[in-house]
Amino acid sequence: MTIEGVLLDLSGVVYDGEQVISGSLSAISKLRAANFEIRFVTNTTRTPKKAICTKLAMMGLTLEERELFTPVEAARAWLIDNNCVPSELLVHSALSSAFTDLPDGDARAVVVGDAGDEFNYAGMNRAFRALLEGSELLALAKNRMFKDKDGRLSLDAGPFVQALEFASGKSALLLGKPSQDFFASALASIPCPLQRAVMVGDDADADVAGARTAGLGCALLVRTGKYRAGDERRFTPSPTAMVADLSEAADWILAHRLQN
Amino acid sequence: MTIEGVLLDLSGVVYDGEQVISGSLSAISKLRAANFEIRFVTNTTRTPKKAICTKLAMMGLTLEERELFTPVEAARAWLIDNNCVPSELLVHSALSSAFTDLPDGDARAVVVGDAGDEFNYAGMNRAFRALLEGSELLALAKNRMFKDKDGRLSLDAGPFVQALEFASGKSALLLGKPSQDFFASALASIPCPLQRAVMVGDDADADVAGARTAGLGCALLVRTGKYRAGDERRFTPSPTAMVADLSEAADWILAHRLQN
């Protein structure tokens, strides 16, 4: 197992709420110093890309926008490629502007992200009716839960996507992790083949089992962020390795690097 | 196939919104005149039992409360039997009083019904957190959709139950149709064995496939209410027979009655 490319989740791996996770910045520096190309892949759909970069810069992590992959860009690209406009947007208001300047299209899609407090019955029901009338169902993410500002777990976009799938009988097209297209486009920008890549995340489902199902060579589960005891046994495939945090993950990656 | 006991769904079979479905009252009279014991089994969880009886009386259908079975009673009985109190009630406000006078208990359960417009992120998230802390998940119903006042389909309780199951990894205990206990307790009051009973409904899933899976002798799907073309092929087992409406269902039942 030799690693050439590194994909890192952000929330729960690099930072937690507004705090940098101890050791994560030096771990990233160490990987960069060893000439690893890193791509940051986040399913966070409450914050636009530019705002994520600004937040990271304030935390001491500098990255270019091209190093950051979010499901919002993937969804915009899919909508344009498929001549499609949103019939209903169930996304956080901070993101809705990302979907307002799309070209006209004949097809329709319901777009679901982590709308958080903005999820309500009326919006869910409009989305359901649009699905019955023929709209596609696009999920920016399908994560079950995330670690909220109060330190407790809260509902992510996934349960609401699942509700609409169950009601309508349609399957959502997933744009973020663990979609193979999403991982593949981040790795193509390095470039690095899937089987030479590692994904590091705190979500045993979307980050770890999902990455391995998508064909990535390995996936490490950190015990920071939303990790709860036993998560490594809740989903299959299981992690390639368990690590305490990003710092230990970096050591693992350096031990498995491609020797030239 | 000989029929002794009849279970009828209400909404979409006897009435549609505020209107009696043409021929349904005379169909019920005909069945009663032929000495069939009828039990009315509804998953409607927006209206208390007494109010349903009043509504039916105003429509010209007289029935005693003992002839009507709702998931609310089943849920109350389960909570009391299991020494359990609700940790979170996601039910319509018209029903919440049905859960306020329960005896104290050590165990906790999230109770989900068709809360309709009262479903929101904050309540769903409180329910999710209660589930993570050990509450059971009780579903009054798990119907996907219902025919709304405007004549269009709307989201029922099911998608929200499914969302909480997906997020928490717990399976809901279903109190209403198609729970075998629910059908069985309605039939026990006749009394009639499951295999000699017929269920008539407009929901190809909970009323028809569900009743047959629960062991009922037969289940008829009407083309009134929320029925949409092709519903008979969407779920398995398929209906014993398709009928235009309750009137045609009554004729089918009379043709299959137990000959003494």
Side-chain angles (χ1 to χ4, degrees):
Chain A
M1 199 149 37
T2 50
I3 304 296
E4 281 181 66
V6 177
L7 300 184
L8 299 186
D9 182 26
L10 284 171
S11 175
V13 173
V14 175
Y15 60 81
D16 206 345
E18 303 303 314
Q19 298 292 319
V20 173
I21 294 174
S22 171
S24 66
L25 298 189
S26 59
I28 292 167
S29 301
K30 224 195 287 188
L31 289 169
R32 282 175 167 167
N35 288 319
F36 273 108
E37 281 272 359
I38 303 174
R39 293 295 178 268
F40 298 87
V41 285
T42 176
N43 270 9
T44 303
T45 60
R46 287 190 180 187
T47 320
K49 193 165 174 173
K50 205 174 283 290
I52 297 171
C53 290
T54 306
K55 174 177 177 167
L56 291 171
M58 289 175 65
M59 288 178 170
L61 175 62
T62 308
L63 81 173
E64 293 174 35
E65 282 196 33
R66 65 170 185 83
E67 294 171 283
L68 174 61
F69 286 77
T70 77
V72 177
E73 305 166 83
R76 274 185 60 91
W78 190 93
L79 289 166
I80 294 167
D81 288 352
N82 289 275
N83 195 29
C84 202
V85 290
S87 49
E88 189 66 31
L89 275 177
L90 297 180
V91 300
H92 198 278
S93 49
L95 280 192
S96 53
S97 66
F99 295 101
T100 48
D101 61 341
L102 292 162
D104 266 352
D106 297 330
R108 297 283 177 276
V110 167
V111 181
V112 187
D114 173 20
D117 285 334
E118 297 166 54
F119 274 122
N120 58 46
Y121 182 81
M124 287 287 284
N125 204 40
R126 282 194 306 272
F128 166 63
R129 289 177 166 192
L131 293 171
L132 290 188
E133 286 161 7
S135 283
E136 293 291 324
L137 178 55
L138 293 198
L140 297 182
K142 211 183 161 184
N143 298 62
R144 287 166 165 77
M145 58 190 86
F146 71 101
K147 194 169 166 187
D148 213 336
K149 286 176 192 153
D150 63 2
R152 298 175 67 193
L153 295 174
S154 284
L155 292 174
D156 208 319
F160 299 92
V161 172
Q162 182 79 10
L164 290 171
E165 289 182 307
F166 177 75
S168 68
K170 291 193 170 180
S171 292
L173 180 73
L174 175 65
L175 278 310
K177 298 177 285 185
S179 147
Q180 189 184 45
D181 285 349
F182 187 68
F183 289 124
S185 64
L187 290 168
S189 74
I190 291 182
C192 167
L194 264 71
Q195 61 275 22
R196 290 278 172 96
V198 62
M199 169 74 209
V200 183
D202 66 333
D203 188 315
D205 184 17
D207 290 338
V208 174
R212 296 201 62 198
T213 301
L216 269 74
C218 32
L220 308 182
L221 182 62
V222 294
R223 290 199 179 85
T224 51
K226 76 178 110 173
Y227 172 81
R228 289 183 303 153
D231 274 356
E232 61 273 32
R233 290 183 299 276
R234 274 188 196 105
F235 307 95
T236 47
S238 54
T240 312
M242 293 292 305
V243 288
D245 51 20
L246 182 54
S247 188
E248 203 175 297
D251 293 339
W252 190 97
I253 293 165
L254 289 167
H256 290 81
R257 81 179 113 178
L258 186 63
Q259 307 290 342
N260 289 313
Chain B
M1 198 149 39
T2 49
I3 306 295
E4 281 181 65
V6 176
L7 300 184
L8 299 186
D9 182 27
L10 284 171
S11 175
V13 173
V14 175
Y15 60 80
D16 205 344
E18 303 304 313
Q19 298 293 319
V20 173
I21 294 174
S22 171
S24 66
L25 299 189
S26 59
I28 292 166
S29 302
K30 224 195 285 189
L31 290 169
R32 282 175 167 169
N35 288 321
F36 274 108
E37 281 271 358
I38 303 174
R39 293 295 178 267
F40 299 87
V41 285
T42 176
N43 270 10
T44 303
T45 60
R46 287 190 179 187
T47 320
K49 193 166 173 172
K50 205 173 283 290
I52 297 172
C53 290
T54 306
K55 175 178 177 166
L56 291 170
M58 287 175 66
M59 288 178 171
L61 176 62
T62 309
L63 81 174
E64 294 174 33
E65 281 196 33
R66 64 170 186 84
E67 294 171 284
L68 175 61
F69 286 78
T70 77
V72 178
E73 305 167 83
R76 275 185 60 91
W78 190 92
L79 289 166
I80 294 168
D81 288 353
N82 289 275
N83 195 29
C84 202
V85 290
S87 49
E88 189 65 31
L89 275 177
L90 296 181
V91 301
H92 198 278
S93 50
L95 280 192
S96 52
S97 66
F99 294 101
T100 47
D101 61 341
L102 292 163
D104 265 352
D106 297 331
R108 296 285 177 275
V110 166
V111 181
V112 188
D114 174 20
D117 285 334
E118 297 166 54
F119 274 121
N120 57 46
Y121 182 81
M124 287 286 285
N125 204 39
R126 282 195 306 273
F128 167 64
R129 289 176 166 192
L131 293 171
L132 290 188
E133 286 161 8
S135 284
E136 293 292 323
L137 177 56
L138 292 199
L140 297 183
K142 211 183 160 184
N143 297 62
R144 287 166 164 80
M145 58 191 86
F146 71 101
K147 194 168 167 187
D148 213 336
K149 285 177 194 153
D150 62 2
R152 298 174 68 193
L153 295 174
S154 284
L155 292 173
D156 208 319
F160 298 92
V161 172
Q162 182 79 9
L164 291 171
E165 289 183 307
F166 178 76
S168 68
K170 292 194 170 181
S171 291
L173 180 73
L174 175 65
L175 279 308
K177 298 177 284 185
S179 147
Q180 190 184 45
D181 286 349
F182 187 67
F183 288 124
S185 64
L187 289 168
S189 74
I190 290 182
C192 167
L194 264 72
Q195 62 274 21
R196 289 278 171 98
V198 62
M199 170 73 209
V200 184
D202 66 332
D203 189 314
D205 185 17
D207 291 338
V208 174
R212 296 201 61 199
T213 301
L216 269 74
C218 32
L220 308 182
L221 182 61
V222 294
R223 289 199 178 87
T224 51
K226 75 179 111 175
Y227 172 81
R228 288 184 304 152
D231 274 356
E232 61 273 32
R233 291 182 297 277
R234 278 189 192 105
F235 306 95
T236 46
S238 54
T240 312
M242 293 293 303
V243 288
D245 51 20
L246 183 52
S247 187
E248 203 176 298
D251 293 338
W252 190 97
I253 292 165
L254 289 167
H256 291 80
R257 82 179 111 177
L258 186 63
Q259 306 292 341
N260 290 313

